[in-house]
Amino acid sequence: SNLLAPPHSFVAMRACSIGLSLAYACCLAIVTLIGFSAITTGIVLLIEGDHYGDTAEDLNPRVDFSMLPESCIIEDVIHAYREEEDGYGYHCYDDYSYIFSYQGCQYRSRQNEALRYDGLCRESQPRIPLFVVGEEVPCWQPNVRPVAAQYNCGNDMCYKIFDPQNEVAIAEDTGDAMEAAGISSLVCGILCCFCCSPAVWCVGQKKQHS
């Protein structure tokens, strides 16, 4: 009966071959899943970015908003900073928002972000805020409701200390950025599905036959 039993080396090689097959199958599934996820994300970003940018182009801030008869007063300056890493290095951003008052009521502005430094935040000083406490600034109020999301209201009344005309330009840039990110994600997904996945499959086949 011992003569009919397969050698231990053969059993070990067979087990190793099965293990490699499972490993390459898992790798193939993961790469394919990442590819399809990237493709889906890219399509969504392309559609949303195109819609967001096109809607911004159709807005008319001179009609949608009018300047309030009295100035607003800056009551407080809220500052935060953050670091982002994009594969090439760190980037430091300053985020400012402002508490302002109008006719005795206080409101908060939208967040205004700006690149401070291409590097770590501790290596640089914060940017100077656009407004200071006690400053009187022009304000705008909406003439239509609901207010389009592209105007980026910071409060329920959508009183603004930032010119709505600039908000439209920012929204158009945001739409373009979303479309660019969508294209990048779509390309990466296609490469994963149609280049990386077949490469993983081919390597697995070669390993099985070697």
Side-chain angles (χ1 to χ4, degrees):
S1 58
N2 291 335
L3 294 175
L4 298 177
H8 290 294
S9 59
F10 175 79
V11 174
M13 290 176 60
R14 184 60 178 168
C16 183
S17 177
I18 294 173
L20 283 174
S21 298
L22 291 174
Y24 280 111
C26 289
C27 289
L28 180 62
I30 291 172
V31 170
T32 304
L33 180 62
I34 292 173
F36 278 113
S37 297
I39 289 174
T40 302
T41 301
I43 292 173
V44 171
L45 284 173
L46 278 172
I47 294 173
E48 292 294 329
D50 182 66
H51 175 71
Y52 196 83
D54 287 347
T55 303
E57 291 177 359
D58 294 335
L59 296 176
N60 188 345
R62 300 185 190 280
V63 174
D64 297 340
F65 279 82
S66 59
M67 190 172 290
L68 289 167
E70 299 178 20
S71 297
C72 292
I73 300 174
I74 303 299
E75 302 289 350
D76 194 13
V77 178
I78 302 171
H79 173 250
Y81 66 86
R82 55 191 165 85
E83 291 175 345
E84 294 184 0
E85 202 273 332
D86 61 1
Y88 298 96
Y90 285 93
H91 306 282
C92 178
Y93 293 86
D94 283 311
D95 298 326
Y96 282 101
S97 58
Y98 304 88
I99 304 298
F100 62 94
S101 61
Y102 179 73
Q103 293 184 342
C105 296
Q106 290 193 347
Y107 307 91
R108 183 167 181 162
S109 74
R110 67 159 173 84
Q111 185 170 278
N112 182 62
E113 61 181 45
L115 176 65
R116 182 207 297 187
Y117 178 69
D118 286 323
L120 298 174
C121 290
R122 65 171 179 266
E123 299 172 352
S124 60
Q125 296 297 317
R127 293 173 64 98
I128 298 173
L130 297 177
F131 309 110
V132 296
V133 174
E135 183 178 355
E136 294 188 6
V137 297
C139 287
W140 289 264
Q141 65 178 345
N143 297 326
V144 294
R145 295 211 181 258
V147 181
Q150 284 80 357
Y151 284 120
N152 196 7
C153 298
N155 54 79
D156 292 339
M157 295 296 294
C158 204
Y159 287 169
K160 305 185 72 63
I161 57 174
F162 295 104
D163 191 337
Q165 190 76 41
N166 296 332
E167 307 284 279
V168 172
I170 293 173
E172 291 175 356
D173 291 341
T174 301
D176 292 340
M178 291 172 67
E179 289 187 54
I183 292 172
S184 298
S185 181
L186 195 60
V187 170
C188 290
I190 291 172
L191 288 175
C192 277
C193 287
F194 297 100
C195 294
C196 297
S197 293
V200 171
W201 183 83
C202 288
V203 170
Q205 292 296 309
K206 289 181 179 178
K207 290 290 183 182
Q208 288 182 11
H209 291 82
S210 61

